Amino acid sequence: MRGLSLVTFLLFSVYAQAQMRECRILSTESIPFYLQVDGKILADSALISYEFTSQNSSISIEIAQLDSTGLTLSSTIEPEEEMLTVYDLRRVKGSLVLLESSRTSLSPSIIAEEELINVTDSLVDSIPPIQKVDPGFQNLLNKLGKEFFESEKQKAVTAYIKGHQITTAQLGVLLTYFEFEDRKLAIISSARTQVADFDKNWSALKSSFVLKTSLQALSDLAKGN
């Protein structure tokens, strides 16, 4: 009976945890902004970082930058269940953009370790694995935000990518820290084998380029030329 109660408790805990999504929206450029989530203003003063939880799979975001530019952003985010999703608010080409920078699994906090040991193997196998994302990615963004020279930024990005798998979305975030398109292409070229979904989502990187020659070079990289 104790074993059955434990299994019921564990299943209920996993179900409850799966409903939650934690989000953090921050500006690595230290842009003060107001945030409204699903029609609710989170604070009556502008901040550079906000954290909130939600059970909704789709969340409406309204952002207003606090400065003379008066820039605003309306967006919808879809954070994953059981994950802390971090979004970076950046100013790109005169507009605000919200870019997903990392996801970190939310560890169960109410299930005792000794209780987990008694769970049957079949139940453990039935729980889907949780994708883990290296929290060092946010540290890299912080470093890039403080570095002035693009050559040094490129060295930091190259060193990080050598030891980490990243997504196309994360690569797009990294490219926003660079101005020169030839350097962006060099970073994509060096990172290509470490970007798990590059072949599927490479076209999302087109927004990082203006020159037709750069866009053609990006297309050639995607084709393996």
Side-chain angles (χ1 to χ4, degrees), residues 34-51:
Y34 292 95
L35 177 64
Q36 184 172 289
V37 177
D38 286 336
K40 180 180 179 181
I41 299 176
L42 294 197
D44 55 7
S45 59
L47 304 173
I48 63 171
S49 178
Y50 293 81
E51 294 188 18

Side-chain angles (χ1 to χ4, degrees), residues 87-152:
Y87 299 89
D88 184 15
L89 178 67
R90 296 186 60 80
R91 208 164 17 208
V92 179
K93 298 177 182 178
S95 300
L96 292 178
V97 295
L98 195 62
L99 304 169
E100 181 179 326
S101 61
S102 67
R103 295 184 186 184
T104 306
S105 62
L106 298 173
S107 301
S109 58
I110 60 175
I111 305 175
E113 183 177 354
E114 59 269 22
E115 290 179 326
L116 285 174
I117 295 174
N118 294 324
V119 177
T120 63
D121 291 339
S122 60
L123 179 59
V124 173
D125 292 340
S126 69
I127 301 175
I130 298 175
Q131 181 183 9
K132 295 184 179 180
V133 178
D134 182 9
F137 186 78
Q138 187 59 51
N139 294 332
L140 173 62
L141 296 184
N142 293 337
K143 182 176 181 179
L144 295 179
K146 297 175 182 178
E147 181 58 60
F148 179 77
F149 296 103
E150 287 205 350
S151 58
E152 294 301 316

